[in-house]
Structures are given as C-alpha cells and as structure tokens.
Amino acid sequence: MKSRDLDAKQAKPIYGRITYAGKRKDWSTNIKINPKNWNKGNTCVSNKEKNYFQINQQLQKIKEELEKVYRDQQSLDIDITPSTLFNQYQGKEDYSNKKSILEVFEYHNLRMVEKSKIGKYSPNTIKRYEITLEKVKRFISSTYKKEDFYLEHLKVRFLVDFEHFLLTTDKISMNTAHKYIKNVKKVVNFAIAMNWLEIDPFKQFKCTYSNPDREILTQAEINTLANTQLPNEKLESVRDVFLFSCYTGFAYSDLANLTVDDISKGFDGDLWISTNRTKTGTKENLPLLPPAMALIEKYNDHACRIEKGKLLNVFSNQKYNIYLKTVAELCNINKKLTTHTARHTFATTITLTNGVPIETVSKMLGHKSIKTTQIYAKVIETKVSADMKALKAKLYPGQQNEENFKIG
C-alpha cells in the first residue's frame, strides 16, 4: 500500500515494487483492500479483511512468479533491470520464442549432417563443428556460470572471452583457437540468414592466421627412410604409407580410403590416382611417380589388398602416429613425422623444388585456393640456390668466381 492510502476509508489498490541495482518499478496489482487491514511489517493482508487468505495467496503467487523471472533472466545473461523483470512477468517480453547460441548451433550442425548425405559436407567437417559446440558449452558454463546465451545478448566480448578460454584453459595455439572462433562466426551468420538475428555482433572481431614453421623432409632424409631396414612388418607398413604420402601429397584420411579402383590409366597413357578429398570434397588427381607405383606393387599379395581391397596397409590414425615416431628414431631422423609432414614434403621437396609450378601443385593437392598451397609451399634453399645460379649464368656469364672472392 502507498503511505498516503493507509488512512483512507475506502478500498485502495495494493502496489507491487521491484527493486534492483538501485532502480525500482512500481505498479498496481489491481487488488483492492481496506487500507486499515494492510500489515505493513509482513507485507500481507490481515485476517480482518474479507477474503484475506485468497488475497495473500495471490500476492505470494506474484512474488514467486517474479522470482522465477529473475532466475530465468539471470541464467540467460540478460541485462536485468526492474523494467525487464516486469515486462517478462507481464508477458510483454516473451523469451520463449527467442533463439539462443547453443540452440542455433545444434540446429546448424543437424542441417550439416543432413547435407552430408548428399555429399555437401565431409564427416571430418561435421566433427569439427561438433567439437566447437562442446567447447562453446564448456566456455559458457566455466566463464559465465550460465547454461546458454540468447543471440540478441551476444557481443564482441563473447568472442574475446572465448579466445582467452581456448588459449588459457584448453591451451591450444592461436591459429587453432581462431579456427574454432571462425566456426562460431559462421553459425552466427547462419542465424542471420535464418532471420533470427538482425546484426552481426561479431563483425569487429577479426580472425588472424600466422604461418607456422612447417616440418619437411629433404631428399636425403626421404632416401634414408626408404632404405632403412626396419625390424617388423608393422613399422614397415607405416613407413610405406608415409612415403606414399610424400610422393602423392595425400592426407591420412584419404590414404586410409584408397582402393585399387582409384588407380586408372590417364589420357596420357600413364597411371593416375584420383579421389575426392575427405576434408574438402574437392578432386585430388595426379599421375603416379615410380616410387609410389613400386609401393603399390609391394602390397599386391598383402591381406589388405586381397581381403579389403585397400591400396596400402593403413593402421588407425593413433597407431600410425605412434609407430611413425619409432620409425623416425630408427632412421635417425630428428623431425616429427606426421601425414602433414609428408604432405608438406610433397609440396616442397618433391614438386616445387624440382620446378613444378605452384598452380600444378595446388591442383594435385586438391586445394580450392592457391593461397592454401602458398602456405604449404616453403621454397627450400636448394631451389633458391639453383634459381640464383641460373640467373647469374644468364646475366653475368663468366663473372665472379666464388673461389677467388676475397672480403676484408
């Protein structure tokens, strides 16, 4: 009751008040009583008022509904004010029809799964988005102590905090962190396309990428790897798969799926290997070099070929990487061997160093953009040396013999 009404003789309305962060909102409950029957200390109606019990029940229900609204808004990171609480209580602000980031993420991933059935997305791409979703869930729970975020409450800070979480909690590199952030940005763009969000809240956040030093093998190291006698068949199979990748540039996921049907005679009469990349779905098509052909022939009578029709004896990714470490030690190669190392080696030592144009290398690697190939392709010193010697011979024939050059 308002203080001015307490001495009134006629019925007056009971007012509700919401106070939060120093602000307040008053409104009439439209429940009228005799002001003299209002118990100010207990904020309820005394038993002198007719129907006092039912009135007090109504007041208690209002209180409980407001408390529920408060808990809901708190869990969804809404900027709470007395007005937002009152509006939702009155039904003017219906959050039940508003989309949240996790809800949209799950729907987006479901659509990807459906499109994968017609070849639009690879299983690996879907897996990356599923992993991103789980990371976002852990991030929201850990950083904000909440279950979800409404789209309309997303701000740039969300990605700034997510980046910090990935770097400090998950302890991943900046490049990897920004790959996950790109996935989140794509999901938000999906929400905009579905008309669930009007403006991109992450527009100001720019993802960056720094080229890491990529491990590659020299031709001498490839020869050592090929010629070293290994103690058992498992290590030999792993070494052969790695070498095949060095001579073709195929990634592990593609190697594991290769069959004899992927080999065919090309327009030039040479043997070609052709498949769609698991990662991107793009065509990877190239003629086979003699060392790769020799490796294929080596497994003609192996169980992997006879029983499974596979081109090579490929182990699980986990075992493959474990055995590769042993192979590197036995061959005295002080580099980390992975399928990425082999793929980079194909792009540099095998092709670019030997004068194959980058456009051709890009095509053979199945890249959608030549920019991706430029990241892979480190021009090594032997290529620089050969090119500069050719340049000197052309521009300055017979000049400057390094053996007679003196300095100082």
Side-chain angles (χ1 to χ4, degrees), residues 11-27:
K12 294 290 182 179
I14 299 173
Y15 278 80
R17 171 173 292 174
I18 301 172
T19 304
Y20 185 82
K23 298 179 180 179
R24 72 184 193 186
K25 169 73 177 178
D26 293 346
W27 82 99

Side-chain angles (χ1 to χ4, degrees), residues 266-326:
F267 69 95
D268 53 4
D270 291 336
L271 287 178
W272 286 57
I273 186 166
S274 179
T275 186
N276 290 324
R277 287 201 66 196
T278 303
K279 182 178 179 180
T280 62
T282 54
K283 196 77 171 176
E284 200 165 6
N285 196 28
L286 71 155
L288 285 167
L289 294 172
M293 293 169 63
L295 288 168
I296 292 172
E297 284 187 313
K298 180 178 177 179
Y299 288 86
N300 280 344
D301 298 323
H302 195 280
C304 70
R305 185 79 55 78
I306 297 170
E307 297 175 9
K308 301 177 182 177
K310 296 292 185 181
L311 210 59
L312 299 168
N313 186 28
V314 184
F315 292 91
S316 69
N317 197 16
Q318 184 179 13
K319 287 183 178 179
Y320 177 72
N321 287 318
I322 291 172
Y323 292 150
L324 265 182
K325 185 177 180 181
T326 304

